[in-house]
Amino acid sequence: MSGQTAPELPEAAVTVDVPAKINPHLGVGDARPDGYHSLSTVYQAISLYDTVTVTRRRESGIAVSIAGEGADTLPADETNLAAKAAKLMALYGNIEPDVDVHLFKRIPVAGGLAGGSADAAGALVACARLWGIEIGDAELRRLAAGLGSDVPFCLAGGIAVGSGRGEELVRVEAAGTWHWVVATTDTQISTPECFAEVDRLRGERIGRFSEDVDAIVKAFEAGASADELSRLLVNDMEAAAVSLRPQLASLMHAGLEEGALAAHVSGSGPTILFLVGDKPHAVSLARRLRMRGGARSVHLAEGPVAGPAA
Ligand code: C5P
């Protein structure tokens, strides 16, 4: 033994798991001059994860590969939000990127669960670690917000109130865990498509801005029962999502008939979330929904869970 410590080798690969987000409260205001809508939302990260692995490659540049659920429907090139995140981190660290970004998808694509934003959040964190870039929380959040409105929350995880276009966050200290059954459908809804439908319906005086999040925030802080929480779920995009994909109404109805405490459109849809009392309730509801058909896939999830930068 020489007594010398070996020099630390740079890591060759970094893997991070990034959770999906849901919005137990999603209040949508009017469109702003920049085209975004003001939001008053409460996010929760749930235990449905994409895995982002970044690996050094010999050549410079950023290559993307994707496997898992819906992989063939996503661009495996520089237009992928995870590739944009890797590029942004390289710019920030003033380095030439040399990385393979591999996404393993479990979060349904275009489902209202922020899967693309989660991948971008994961790529930011993983690339910073791979390249040894020191970056403070505030700077990381700033880069994330530049990539998309949901990306800052996807970094943080937990439960948070979101305002602005969703990127301004205040953490909520939750005193419990809540259980969900997540039912995906055969259709997809793009976020802008659903916001445009909200605007159209507002033009017909349908829907309003649910700005006040106090009751649901207090419920999370107090560790409210699922029964109490079921009466506080709000989604101002629900009417728009159901108007675009009317078949969602029958899936929501099916879950309620099979014993869910509440049926809730996830974000801009079309994924449907069913709130249940506990894990055994989740297991039995999921089994019944699978037997009935009508959902493409049915998953169990609980939240809050931590994000990759927590
Ligand atoms: O921020 P992000 O790139 O994820 O948003 C995608 C699209 O969703 C925006 O271009 C906009 O059309 C719509 N959006 C919105 N208001 C928000 C967030 C997103 O209108 N608060």
Side-chain angles (χ1 to χ4, degrees), residues 22-252:
I22 62 174
N23 305 78
H25 180 107
L26 180 51
V28 180
D30 290 337
R32 313 187 309 194
D34 65 1
Y36 286 92
H37 293 70
S38 305
L39 297 187
S40 179
T41 187
V42 179
Y43 292 106
Q44 180 180 125
I46 58 167
S47 58
L48 198 60
Y49 295 92
D50 277 359
T51 300
V52 182
T53 302
V54 295
T55 312
R56 280 183 188 278
R57 68 206 294 258
R58 281 185 211 288
E59 319 87 83
S60 68
I62 298 167
V64 178
S65 58
I66 313 174
E69 191 176 334
D72 50 343
T73 66
L74 293 170
D77 58 25
E78 74 282 0
T79 65
N80 191 295
L81 203 57
K84 292 181 183 169
K87 191 170 172 189
L88 199 59
M89 186 52 74
L91 263 175
Y92 177 83
N94 199 21
I95 62 150
E96 187 60 38
D98 56 350
V99 75
D100 284 319
V101 179
H102 182 71
L103 309 176
F104 189 87
K105 302 287 309 169
R106 295 181 203 84
I107 304 174
V109 174
L113 293 159
S117 301
D119 298 342
L124 282 178
V125 170
C127 285
R129 229 174 268 167
L130 183 79
W131 293 326
I133 295 170
E134 301 280 343
I135 179 166
D137 288 351
E139 275 302 282
L140 190 58
R141 274 201 304 274
R142 190 183 60 77
L143 295 190
L147 290 162
S149 309
D150 290 334
V151 185
F153 177 74
C154 290
L155 283 173
I159 296 185
V161 174
S163 57
R165 58 183 167 88
E167 85 287 20
E168 292 167 23
L169 300 178
V170 178
R171 190 177 167 74
V172 173
E173 293 304 330
T177 297
W178 290 271
H179 296 267
W180 305 91
V181 172
V182 181
T184 70
T185 69
D186 281 328
T187 63
Q188 299 187 341
I189 301 179
S190 82
T191 310
E193 181 187 11
C194 200
F195 275 108
E197 184 66 4
V198 169
D199 292 341
R200 192 187 69 76
L201 292 174
R202 293 265 161 98
E204 295 179 9
R205 301 193 164 277
I206 299 170
R208 62 183 194 96
F209 182 17
S210 307
E211 202 167 0
D212 187 355
V213 297
D214 281 358
I216 196 163
V217 167
K218 287 201 178 94
F220 283 130
E221 287 172 340
S225 68
D227 214 31
E228 288 167 75
L229 184 64
S230 72
R231 292 187 284 277
L232 298 171
L233 301 175
V234 167
N235 186 351
D236 289 349
M237 300 191 91
E238 181 168 309
V242 173
S243 154
L244 291 169
R245 307 285 185 273
Q247 64 269 39
L248 296 184
S250 50
L251 178 57
M252 294 171 83

Side-chain angles (χ1 to χ4, degrees), residues 272-284:
I272 303 297
L273 305 166
F274 296 106
L275 181 63
V276 288
D278 52 24
K279 186 84 181 281
H281 188 184
V283 171
S284 71

